[in-house]
Amino acid sequence: EKLEQRAKEILTTSVHRLGNSVVSDVLATTMTLPNDEIKGKIIGKEGRNIQALQRATGVDILVDETPGMVVLSSFDPVRREIARQAMEMLLKDGRVHPGRIEEVVEKAQKQVQKEVVHAGEDAAREVGLVGVPKEILQLLGELKYRTSYGQNVLRHSIELAHLAGVLADDLGANVKTAKYAAL
């Protein structure tokens, strides 16, 4: 009992130390702008463009004094990616106004949705799972945009699924079930 208690204390202490020393998930995406004149287009007359972009994406957009930089900030990494892609399309096109912003954000949402589904399908295929429900593939694909302690969560999940499969095989357990659960 004393050894078990001591083991729990060591594990708890280790987890707390690690958790405090590693920076939490990245909450912002920094974009480089070709020139500072673009900042005016992004902000728009009386801030209309930036407000429309923030409303459409749900992401805070910080345009400060840093030359050639804009920061996209959100707890949701998928929304940040949509905002990043929309911003890139707007800057490439050069036409930045509220009507165009909504159109471009919608296009970026569709593109990111395709990427999410594709990433989920690729992950399931990589670990050899067939017939995974679309809802699970969706959630799995969204992990592509998340990190934990500096590691991509989707890659981590794929590695765990492979490891679980090997362990299940060695133990005589159901490999498919172990891989599915780990993924």
Side-chain angles (χ1 to χ4, degrees), residues 46-145:
E46 297 177 5
R48 286 188 185 118
N49 292 347
I50 197 168
Q51 289 172 4
L53 195 51
Q54 289 180 138
R55 263 193 316 275
T57 61
V59 172
D60 291 328
I61 301 168
L62 310 170
V63 181
D64 61 10
E65 304 302 316
T66 311
M69 300 294 270
V70 170
V71 178
L72 308 173
S73 175
S74 172
F75 286 104
D76 186 338
V78 176
R79 283 185 183 192
R80 266 197 332 268
E81 179 62 15
I82 291 168
R84 187 191 66 74
Q85 287 190 18
M87 183 78 80
E88 281 183 356
M89 286 185 239
L90 288 167
L91 296 176
K92 192 178 290 184
D93 183 281
R95 295 179 293 153
V96 185
H97 54 80
R100 176 86 174 121
I101 288 169
E102 289 178 19
E103 176 186 321
V104 168
V105 168
E106 190 174 313
K107 187 185 276 187
Q109 285 172 331
K110 288 177 183 174
Q111 178 61 34
V112 169
Q113 180 60 31
K114 282 182 189 176
E115 291 172 11
V116 162
V117 170
H118 186 70
E121 291 169 346
D122 285 351
R125 193 176 312 108
E126 186 175 333
V127 291
L129 295 176
V130 181
V132 177
K134 289 181 180 181
E135 296 83 10
I136 300 293
L137 292 174
Q138 170 75 29
L139 293 171
L140 193 56
E142 288 178 2
L143 296 179
K144 173 184 176 181
Y145 301 103

Side-chain angles (χ1 to χ4, degrees), residues 1 14 17 33 35 43 59 78 85 88 102 120 143 170 181:
E1 285 180 25
S14 298
R17 248 188 302 176
L33 302 175
N35 57 54
I43 295 169
V59 172
V78 176
Q85 287 190 18
E88 281 183 356
E102 289 178 19
L143 296 179
D170 287 349

